[in-house]
Amino acid sequence: MIDTRDPDRPSKTFSRSYIAPPLQAHLDGGGSVESWLAGRTPIASMARISADLLDGEAIGVGRQHKNNTRNAAKHGCAVVVHYEDNNITAAKREVRRPAFIQMVRDITHGEEEETGIPVHGCIAVERERVWRMPRDFVAFQDALIMNGTGIYIEEQSRLDLVNDDGAIIAALATSGSSEAEVKKIRKRTTRNARDRAEEGKLYGGPRRFGWLGADKESGRPGNKYLDPKEFPHMVDQFLMRHEGKSWRSITAEMNRRRVLTARGNRWTEQAVKSLVTNPALWGGRVLDGKIIVDEETGDPITGSWETPEEITYEKWLVVMAGVEANRLHRGMSQPKRNPTEDDRRGRRYKYSGFLRCGRDNELDETCYSKMTGNKGSGKNKDHYRCGDANCKGISRQAEAVDTYLDGLTLAYLEKHFAGTVAIPIPWRGKEKLKALKVQRKSVKDSVADGTAEWGDVHDLLLRLNRNIKTLEEEEKEHVRKEADRNLLRGWSREKWESFDFEQRQRAIGQVLAAVIVMPIPQGVSDKAPFNPALLKPVWRKEAGQKSTQQSGDQADGTAPIAA
């Protein structure tokens, strides 16, 4: 099963797959998949929504699954696995859809990868939930063909996408037209944005902090009138930066005031930077990384929205001249800089991301923010430091932390994984790939000996080559995942010494969830010797379960196996 959600960074954009709740309840009660199916054909429910406008609660995909489950029963089918891409578009080639990709692979092999639950097709409320571009349609069609059963149900209609009866061509044409229309819409949107910017028209995107949003009842346009509650805080942020205040202190001040961003979140340094460096504060607009100016006079074109009198173009230029952040307001071009020696040799810190600040911040909350590595200067050595603007910060010397945690991690690995043996999981598509290659060779041989014409087998060979390439890529990915899964098996100190930086970080991440860095007690000097007792490691629960399993295996007289 897949699940791209990150508890530390909640987002409405995610992909996941899971066993259908009715089947899961049956399995939890001791039943089997076969008894629950009772002769029905097992299929997948695919749900996708391009824009989750319901506060990220995935209500849209939930409704699709509900309809799919009800409609599947009308065709003697049963939904066994849910796949969903929430807040993910299917109209852009560059956007990856993890749930769709996993579903296609599972249909290809006829079973869900982890559980082995049979999957013989798919149901969706409409085809756009599954594909919009020809590339995705072809991948989905190939999966149905290789499955052998090839069931596809759209709402209440069962469509034949396996046999070329005209439906495939129609679907490709529809998808192609859809893709072309999407491209046209993008061009029109870009052109419209350019025209509006040059004309000084209102910004038509989401509500900006400091301005009122659109109101249909009164006819008020969005981002035109200043919000009397928010704009004073916006002015304060700008003036504080103009006076030389740091991004960190400005962010902390906004959060102390309990002021929320336009999206209802707490302020971050990046959010403050984006606001303060936005030329909209004085009425300007950015296009292609540059301020829009009048072609005749060269003066900036100001928009038709209200702006605070305290913020002027001249003051904004002063602020921008002092900005050293690498990421400015989106759309602004970045100044080039020469790479430093640290850039060239790739300065990296092994426990960045694992260390968490354990100090109570200025909001009287335990910070728990990630601590990242920072380069030392002068007499100060490289160190890990809390990056939260609301926290005064905890800092520890990187060398001392790395040495101590390396010792803990190695001891833990030797205790729980020394002597374990790898249990390779064979790739499920080996026989299918072998059969496709045999079939391709047979087709080519039939052309060579004259029993078949090239024109008769051309389309078949194209499909075989495409399917073989897809399976070969999947096999490579399986090999990579197996390498990660077996990374700790057969553990030894020599194995650690042979690891590169990335391998060591992966090994650490498999057993260590976090390390809480506690503040130095009151009365103790900041220059006191490093105290390892202030580092509180949090080991992953599954690592402890592995230890228990291994102990049981050894008690039985069998070789210890890392789960």
Side-chain angles (χ1 to χ4, degrees):
M1 301 292 181
I2 64 169
D3 193 342
T4 63
R5 294 175 297 178
D6 184 352
D8 294 330
R9 301 184 65 183
S11 171
K12 62 174 66 174
T13 301
F14 63 85
S15 297
R16 64 173 176 169
S17 63
Y18 54 94
I19 299 175
L23 173 56
Q24 184 65 66
H26 182 77
L27 296 176
D28 293 342
S32 65
V33 176
E34 292 74 15
S35 63
W36 183 80
L37 286 173
R40 295 176 296 175
T41 302
I43 60 175
S45 171
M46 181 68 210
R48 183 189 64 78
I49 191 168
S50 298
D52 186 352
L53 303 178
L54 300 173
D55 298 326
E57 297 179 357
I59 296 177
V61 294
R63 291 168 177 167
Q64 292 177 38
H65 287 312
K66 180 180 179 180
N67 289 324
N68 290 341
T69 299
R70 180 171 57 247
N71 292 331
K74 300 177 181 179
H75 296 272
C77 299
V79 171
V80 292
V81 184
H82 289 181
Y83 298 85
E84 55 191 48
D85 288 317
N86 194 65
N87 201 46
I88 299 178
T89 180
K92 296 182 180 179
R93 290 182 175 273
E94 64 273 16
V95 176
R96 191 172 185 272
R97 300 164 55 201
F100 171 76
I101 293 172
Q102 186 61 45
M103 183 191 71
V104 166
R105 290 178 176 176
D106 290 343
I107 292 176
T108 296
H109 299 290
E111 62 180 16
E112 198 281 321
E113 186 171 13
E114 288 187 15
T115 62
I117 294 176
V119 179
H120 293 162
C122 166
I123 183 171
V125 294
E126 59 184 10
R127 65 192 64 185
E128 286 77 13
R129 302 306 100 197
V130 185
W131 78 86
R132 289 197 68 178
M133 297 188 299
R135 178 192 63 184
D136 292 339
F137 173 81
V138 170
F140 179 60
Q141 180 198 21
D142 285 347
L144 295 177
I145 293 174
M146 287 188 282
N147 180 278
T149 303
I151 294 177
Y152 172 61
I153 301 174
E154 181 177 309
E155 196 175 19
Q156 299 184 29
S157 303
R158 181 166 175 171
L159 306 180
D160 186 0
L161 301 187
V162 174
N163 299 305
D164 188 1
D165 58 358
I168 297 176
I169 297 176
L172 279 170
T174 302
S175 183
S177 299
S178 178
E179 183 180 9
E181 182 61 24
V182 169
K183 290 181 179 179
K184 290 181 180 178
I185 292 174
R186 283 192 198 171
K187 290 181 178 179
R188 288 198 299 267
T189 302
T190 302
R191 185 171 60 249
N192 181 61
R194 180 185 299 275
D195 293 341
R196 292 176 65 86
E198 292 176 346
E199 295 169 3
K201 295 291 184 62
L202 288 174
Y203 167 74
R207 185 182 77 84
R208 290 188 178 120
F209 180 84
W211 281 271
L212 295 170
D215 183 73
K216 293 182 179 180
E217 293 185 2
S218 64
R220 181 186 67 209
N223 298 310
K224 181 177 178 62
Y225 302 104
L226 290 171
D227 186 329
K229 294 181 179 179
E230 289 184 350
F231 97 83
H233 300 293
M234 176 180 69
V235 172
D236 287 347
Q237 291 185 47
F238 180 86
L239 294 181
M240 281 191 283
R241 183 61 190 180
H242 186 262
E243 294 167 359
K245 297 288 187 181
S246 68
W247 300 118
R248 186 184 183 90
S249 62
I250 297 173
T251 305
E253 175 60 26
M254 288 301 107
N255 287 322
R256 274 195 296 269
R257 297 182 185 181
R258 307 288 180 177
V259 177
L260 299 179
T261 67
R263 295 186 178 184
N265 301 320
R266 289 173 55 181
W267 286 92
T268 63
E269 288 188 44
Q270 185 57 42
V272 172
K273 291 177 188 177
S274 297
L275 175 65
V276 172
T277 60
N278 192 334
L281 297 181
W282 51 268
R285 283 286 294 272
V286 171
L287 189 64
D288 297 332
K290 298 180 181 179
I291 297 294
I292 300 297
V293 298
D294 188 287
E295 294 183 357
E296 295 182 0
T297 65
D299 295 330
I301 295 177
T302 56
S304 58
W305 55 89
E306 292 182 348
T307 58
E309 60 182 13
E310 297 91 340
I311 302 177
T312 64
Y313 175 55
E314 290 72 23
K315 288 183 179 180
W316 183 81
L317 289 177
V318 173
V319 169
M320 294 302 293
V323 169
E324 297 178 353
N326 289 327
R327 295 179 294 174
L328 310 182
H329 171 64
R330 59 184 181 182
M332 293 293 291
S333 58
Q334 304 298 313
K336 295 183 179 180
R337 65 180 181 88
N338 295 325
T340 64
E341 180 62 25
D342 290 331
D343 293 331
R344 286 188 284 270
R345 60 190 176 91
R347 176 173 294 274
R348 295 172 294 185
Y349 299 87
K350 195 184 306 176
Y351 288 93
S352 286
F354 295 104
L355 300 180
R356 299 290 183 132
C357 178
R359 183 173 186 157
D360 288 342
N361 60 25
E362 296 182 3
L363 301 177
D364 295 325
E365 303 169 341
T366 300
C367 181
Y368 203 66
S369 297
K370 291 183 179 180
M371 298 178 63
T372 56
N374 294 266
K375 180 184 177 182
S377 60
K379 295 182 179 180
N380 296 323
K381 297 182 179 180
D382 289 5
H383 57 279
Y384 293 103
R385 181 184 177 187
C386 171
D388 194 318
N390 303 304
C391 179
K392 291 183 179 179
I394 286 181
S395 179
R396 292 291 188 278
Q397 285 190 8
E399 182 179 0
V401 170
D402 287 359
T403 300
Y404 175 69
L405 292 182
D406 277 353
L408 281 185
T409 301
L410 287 172
Y412 189 94
L413 290 171
E414 289 173 357
K415 177 182 178 181
H416 293 282
F417 292 93
T420 58
V421 296
I423 306 178
I425 297 178
W427 179 53
R428 57 178 175 170
K430 184 176 181 179
E431 293 301 320
K432 187 178 290 289
L433 178 59
K434 181 180 178 181
L436 288 175
K437 289 182 176 180
V438 170
Q439 184 181 3
R440 181 175 64 178
K441 183 178 184 302
S442 176
V443 173
K444 288 183 176 180
D445 290 344
S446 66
V447 175
D449 60 25
T451 57
E453 295 293 334
W454 175 254
D456 296 334
V457 300
H458 178 263
D459 291 343
L460 176 59
L461 277 176
L462 286 178
R463 180 172 60 81
L464 289 173
N465 288 332
R466 186 173 62 245
N467 295 343
I468 290 172
K469 181 180 178 180
T470 298
L471 291 179
E472 287 177 340
E473 291 174 351
E474 183 181 337
E475 183 180 22
K476 291 179 181 178
E477 184 174 346
H478 174 80
V479 171
R480 180 186 59 78
K481 288 182 177 180
E482 278 293 284
D484 284 345
R485 193 177 64 84
N486 290 312
L487 186 66
L488 305 182
R489 303 170 195 268
W491 182 258
S492 66
R493 184 67 65 111
E494 292 73 21
K495 195 170 186 178
W496 175 265
E497 296 297 333
S498 68
F499 280 175
D500 59 21
F501 182 86
E502 285 78 11
Q503 288 175 313
R504 290 185 180 185
Q505 276 208 317
R506 291 204 303 271
I508 293 168
Q510 288 193 25
V511 296
L512 192 61
V515 178
I516 311 301
V517 183
M518 306 303 296
I520 296 175
Q522 290 185 355
V524 179
S525 172
D526 291 343
K527 298 182 179 180
F530 172 72
N531 184 0
L534 298 179
L535 302 185
K536 309 293 184 182
V538 180
W539 304 102
R540 293 194 179 277
K541 293 181 180 180
E542 52 266 32
Q545 296 171 353
K546 293 172 184 176
S547 174
T548 303
Q549 178 180 350
Q550 291 165 11
S551 300
D553 291 336
Q554 290 175 336
D556 294 337
T558 59
I561 305 298

